[in-house]
């Protein structure tokens, strides 16, 4: 991936990179990491953080960057700063190995990230393609307008006028097709005279990626009213999407227009040895790289304070969605509004009255940087996280689909399966790996908590491996991979990715205590084989470290499926992790007892069986 | 001394000059908001091709039209078959498209007048955009609010910051006033506030369920300021029954009867805005502002010191106020098993508690 300014930054890749400092400017915190080449291997060595400084009284993002880097300086003893400048390159050649770094790189989601509005002609065809292009580029899509979206013309115009996006992406029509509807949308945009969120003096960037026959008309209508950029059609023919050129333009304009408006970014761009990427784009890049290198079907999630980003790669197809108002601090109240109190409460292993819980959630919303101090507060926050993760995956499934509107050739068996075009690409049975990132997952006091949050929210089926970003450094590694792939890969493998273990979850339901499946686990470390019966309602964990494998044979009950059909035995090798091998006999779909007392009993039994939280005797 | 930038949402005319004294309700700038747009598909209505539309138009781009005035018509051989297209609004013809066959009509512009919001002096003019108004004042920053800018004289309705503001406290003479309550404001009191017509309510806390009842929906993200509930509401502490900080209550009580400008606008994400109560001094010129509130950015910069007065902003000791008695430098394990930076707070009764640094805010002096 390249972005504007790449040529200006090219010098950074022309010399050996042995010491790298990377920052991620988040909406509240700027996180910095130091990466060093130690005996031919790159390792993440020190970490610092400081409040992001895009707000008054500083209004200069580089102040937060310098503060975070100064913390690394203190911890590492390396001199990195010369006043307000990062010393590059490293002065090892001059006999001062502990002075300077070879490159400084950064990602950013400060200022609320990149907020876009997209338009198409048919909502679930070009409208959806435009949405995928914008989401894949790391944007938050604040609205999708289409000719057939059911809104009246004046309602569309009013919407464009009031939303104040950072950028608009226009698509619509296949190349050579009718131009009327896409021109109509351009007329609405022109009538709305859209104004950007930041800066009253600059013109709103607009990318046109629709029917190429309409370019001249679009130029006439929008050329003077917007900073118009024309690129290839994102859906040149009905059967094919061509999202890369539009995504590239979004990156270019983000840097040139949007980010340049944020306070201090011009300085930051000059400081950095590579183009600054929007944080979600960088995380998407690293997730895509993992999946493609290891030929995996993967779901990745980055749960933040304001948004939850979900990434997936299934059969090589990458998708990303952002749930703009599902997060654990600024947007925590919206999780309550969307999920409902009952859905949050079903994960809380104690009784709490509604008023207290609602007030606590609102208090977190208005003071987003506070942290849970007591165990019950942590349990409530992890319950909310489960719901945010669950809702964001539902959102992702609805957008990560095959192309809609395409007539597919069908065989007789397809017809019997009643598959239609545009079905979701997310197949939980084919899923190999779930990767979690973001504060609540990366910083959970016990790693098993991260694993259970993801299992409860995603309900993986059959055999699935889970992992977590150790200290939330995927954004840094995403941007680093554009500069030095080896460094990004080394650090990713050694320091970033923590494998939690494997989850085996039979599909089916039964009464508590009924036989779900018989299991036999043969360990490769010489331990005696484990054999037994997994019963419905059981949750069992077996120690199995990251470098250990085990051969697991499951013989499910007649109505229970593990991917080979009901009652069919399955045998597979599984790899472990810091938690181990988890057999989840709670049934799929997961159904928690509806009776309050029974649910509390079940939750406490499950949580105890995997040692999820400290018990009273531990405290 | 507090400065507030007053900027129009789009270019307009500034009505005042540098050095001019303004009142909260003085207009300082004016702009014309473009009118709403209506689209009429003339080609469809006349049954003609879009590229023929100009031949059938009676009105041209830029021309004014009245509501129901004919803007296009066909010319059939038999008059009986004549079709006329009439304007759905009064306004002007904005544009005509020969591709879509649409005519866009724009309603007349709406006049937008920007008020000074605070009593003070104009210290800077931003040409075509607005002004900066300065005033010497006392400033109270809240933590969350709803409703827009308003002003009125301060009235203290309760005897202590621990008291609940009940409907009985809101007497008819509080109409148009900025009413200060105590630890809680139930929904019944908010309903009474609407009836009485108070300008604003300033209280320690409310219950989330009452906020939902007031708004009619569950607030998902804290971006507020445009709600129309009949008054502006400011919470100084948070959600729940939380006594207003004694210093805040004392400061507001000391200014009872004085005029205050109030804004409930809150934005916690992407550009922090907290609600505020500005009480200009009568001559607007005295320096050294009084201040009470929670400006996290500033104390984050200065760092916390032993002896600082802090408020705990998260359970289990939410709302308690004490003094920093120790600042251990190393990370410590808290009951959740997280390793975090902590500090020790000593409360007025001599007891102490260890609190994560993230869960306190420094109270700035009056």
């Amino acid at each position: 991936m390249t972005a504007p300014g790449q040529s200006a930054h090219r010098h950074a890749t022309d010399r050996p990179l042995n010491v790298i400092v990377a920052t991620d400017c988040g909406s509240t915190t700027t996180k910095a990491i130091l990466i060093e080449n130690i005996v031919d291997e790159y390792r993440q060595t020190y970490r610092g953080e400081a409040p992001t400084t895009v707000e008054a009284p500083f209004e200069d993002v580089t102040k937060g960057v310098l503060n975070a880097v100064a913390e690394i300086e203190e911890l590492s003893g390396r001199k990195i700063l010369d006043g307000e400048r990062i010393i590059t390159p490293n002065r090892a050649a001059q006999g001062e190995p502990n002075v300077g770094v070879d490159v400084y790189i950064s990602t950013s989601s400060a200022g609320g990230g990149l907020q876009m509005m997209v338009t198409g002609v048919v909502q679930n065809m070009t409208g959806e393609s435009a949405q995928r292009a914008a989401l894949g580029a790391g944007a938050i899509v604040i609205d999708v307008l289409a000719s057939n979206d059911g809104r009246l013309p004046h309602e569309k115009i009013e919407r464009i006028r009031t939303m104040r996006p950072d950028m608009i992406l226009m698509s619509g029509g296949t190349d050579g097709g009718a131009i009327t509807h896409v021109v109509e949308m351009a007329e609405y945009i022109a009538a709305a005279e859209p104004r950007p969120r930041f800066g009253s003096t600059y013109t709103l960037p607009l990318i046109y990626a629709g029917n190429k026959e309409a370019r001249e008309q679009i130029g006439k209508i929008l050329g003077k009213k917007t900073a118009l950029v024309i690129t290839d059609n994102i859906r040149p023919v009905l059967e094919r999407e061509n999202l890369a050129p539009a995504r590239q333009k979004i990156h270019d304009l983000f840097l040139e227009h949007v980010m340049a408006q944020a306070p201090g970014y011009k300085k930051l761009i000059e400081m950095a040895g590579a183009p600054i990427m929007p944080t979600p784009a960088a995380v998407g890049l690293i997730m895509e790289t993992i999946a493609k290198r290891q030929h995996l079907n993967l779901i990745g999630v980055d749960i933040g304070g304001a948004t939850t980003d979900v990434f997936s790669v299934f059969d090589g197809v990458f998708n990303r969605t952002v749930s703009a108002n599902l997060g654990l601090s600024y947007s925590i109240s919206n999780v309550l509004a969307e999920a409902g109190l009952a859905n949050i409460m079903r994960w809380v292993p104690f009784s709490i009255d509604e008023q207290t819980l609602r007030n606590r959630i609102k208090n977190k919303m208005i003071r987003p940087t506070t942290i849970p101090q007591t165990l019950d507060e942590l349990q409530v926050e992890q319950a909310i996280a489960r719901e945010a993760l669950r809702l964001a995956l539902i959102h992702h499934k609805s957008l990560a689909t095959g192309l809609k509107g395409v007539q597919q050739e069908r065989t007789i068996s397809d017809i019997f399966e009643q598959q239609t075009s545009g079905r979701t690409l997310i197949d939980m049975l084919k899923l190999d790996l779930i990767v979690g990132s973001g504060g609540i997952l990366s910083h959970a006091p016990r790693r098993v908590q991260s694993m259970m949050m993801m299992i409860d929210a995603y309900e993986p089926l059959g055999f699935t491996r889970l992992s977590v970003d150790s200290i939330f450094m995927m954004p840094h590694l995403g941007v680093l991979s554009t500069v030095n792939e080896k460094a990004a890969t080394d650090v990713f493998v050694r320091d970033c990715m923590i494998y939690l273990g494997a989850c085996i979850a039979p599909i089916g339901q039964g009464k508590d205590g009924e036989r779900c499946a018989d299991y036999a686990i043969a360990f490769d470390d010489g331990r005696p084989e484990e054999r037994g019966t997994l019963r419905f309602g059981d949750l069992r964990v077996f120690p199995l470290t990251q470098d250990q494998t085990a051969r697991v044979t499951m013989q499910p009950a007649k109505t229970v499926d593990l991917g080979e059909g009901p009652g069919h035995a399955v045998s597979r090798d599984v790899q472990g992790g810091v938690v181990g091998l988890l057999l989840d006999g709670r049934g799929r779909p997961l159904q928690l007892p509806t009776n309050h007392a029974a649910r509390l009993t079940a939750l406490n039994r499950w949580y105890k069986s995997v040692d999820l939280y400290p018990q009273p005797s531990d405290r | 001394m507090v400065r507030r930038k007053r900027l129009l949402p789009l270019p307009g005319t500034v009505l005042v000059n540098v050095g001019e004294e303004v009142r909260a309700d003085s207009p300082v700038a004016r702009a014309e908001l473009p009118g709403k747009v209506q689209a009429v598909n003339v080609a469809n209505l006349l049954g003609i091709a879009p590229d023929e539309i100009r031949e059938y138009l009676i009105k041209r781009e830029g021309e004014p039209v009245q509501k129901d005035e004919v803007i296009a018509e066909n010319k059939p051989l038999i008059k009986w078959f004549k079709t006329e297209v009439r304007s759905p609004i009064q306004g002007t013809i904005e544009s005509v498209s020969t591709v879509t066959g649409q005519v866009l009509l724009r309603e007349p512009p709406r006049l937008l007048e920007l008020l000074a919001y605070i009593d003070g002096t104009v210290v800077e003019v931003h040409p075509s955009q607005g002004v900066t108004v300065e005033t010497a004042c006392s400033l109270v920053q809240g933590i969350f609010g709803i409703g827009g800018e308003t002003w009125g004289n301060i009235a203290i309705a309760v005897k202590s910051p621990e008291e609940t503001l009940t409907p009985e406290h809101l007497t008819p003479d509080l109409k148009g006033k900025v009413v200060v309550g105590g630890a809680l404001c139930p929904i019944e009191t908010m309903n009474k506030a609407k009836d009485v017509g108070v300008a604003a309510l300033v209280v320690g806390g409310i219950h989330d369920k009452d906020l939902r009842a007031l708004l009619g929906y569950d607030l998902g993200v804290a971006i507020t300021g445009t709600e129309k509930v009949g008054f502006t509401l400011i919470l100084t502490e948070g959600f729940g029954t939380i006594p207003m900080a004694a210093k805040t209550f004392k400061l507001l009580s000391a200014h009872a009867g004085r005029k205050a400008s109030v804004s409930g606008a809150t934005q916690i994400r992407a550009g922090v805005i907290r609600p505020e109560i500005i009480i200009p001094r009568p001559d607007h010129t005295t320096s050294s502002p009084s201040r009470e509130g929670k400006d996290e950015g500033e104390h984050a910069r200065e760092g916390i010191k032993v002896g600082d007065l802090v408020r705990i902003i998260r359970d289990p000791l939410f709302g308690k106020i004490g003094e920093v008695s120790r600042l251990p430098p190393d990370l410590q394990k808290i009951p959740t098993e997280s390793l975090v930076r902590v500090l020790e707070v000593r409360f007025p009764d001599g007891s102490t508690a260890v609190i994560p640094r993230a869960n306190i805010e420094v109270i700035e002096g009056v």
Side-chain angles (χ1 to χ4, degrees), chain A residues 55 57-58 111-112 140 153-154 157-158 161 179-180 183-184 187-188 191 193 195 200 217 225 306-307 324-325 330-331 333-334 337 354-355 358-360 362-375 377-378 381 443 445-446 614, chain B residues 9-10 34-39 94 97 99-100 102 104 106 129 143-144 206-209 211-212 218-222 237-240 268-272 274 294 301 313-316 318 334-338 340 354-356 358-359 361:
Chain A
E55 321 296 348
F58 307 103
I140 294 166
H154 72 270
I157 294 167
E158 200 55 32
R161 224 164 106 163
I179 65 168
T180 316
V183 169
E184 188 179 82
E187 286 167 0
Y188 296 152
E193 298 189 1
R195 288 155 24 78
S200 55
Q217 292 289 340
K225 292 199 169 182
T307 68
N325 285 325
Y330 302 99
S331 321
S333 200
N334 206 51
E354 179 178 341
Q355 182 157 291
R358 282 187 170 277
N359 285 343
R360 279 190 189 182
K362 278 287 187 300
N363 281 324
K364 170 83 185 202
M365 175 186 81
I366 59 175
R367 289 181 169 103
T369 52
T370 60
I371 58 170
Q373 187 183 350
T374 58
L375 188 60
E377 288 246 301
L378 179 80
E381 224 158 279
H443 299 315
R446 293 184 181 188
Chain B
L10 71 175
K36 286 185 176 173
V37 174
Q38 285 272 358
E94 165 103 352
S97 173
V99 176
T100 61
Q102 288 204 120
L104 297 183
R106 194 179 287 273
Q129 291 186 65
I143 195 75
F144 174 78
I206 58 167
H207 286 308
D208 175 48
K209 70 175 171 59
L211 177 68
R212 198 167 28 134
D218 220 339
L219 188 81
V221 283
E237 313 305 317
F239 287 87
I268 298 172
R269 184 178 162 193
V272 178
R274 294 285 186 185
K294 303 117 189 116
R301 185 176 75 242
I313 54 171
R314 180 130 187 177
D315 282 325
F318 191 6
I334 58 173
T336 60
E337 297 187 334
S338 284
V340 297
V354 173
I355 309 288
N359 293 356
E361 63 190 10

Side-chain angles (χ1 to χ4, degrees), chain A residues 307-328:
Chain A
T307 68
T308 296
D309 294 343
V310 182
F311 311 83
S312 68
V313 182
F314 273 84
D315 299 326
V317 180
F318 172 78
N319 270 290
R320 168 184 175 259
T321 52
V322 54
S323 297
N325 285 325
L326 291 177
L328 265 281

Side-chain angles (χ1 to χ4, degrees), chain A residues 413-449:
Chain A
S413 65
D414 287 336
I415 291 165
F416 282 120
E417 282 181 25
Q418 299 208 335
Q419 289 175 343
T420 55
S421 72
R423 71 175 189 271
T424 186
L425 301 172
I426 310 301
D427 182 344
M428 298 303 280
L429 253 177
K430 281 192 191 167
L431 179 64
D432 300 303
L433 178 67
I434 299 173
V435 186
S437 186
I440 190 111
L441 295 175
S442 296
H443 299 315
R446 293 184 181 188
R447 294 286 186 198
V448 65
Q449 291 164 1

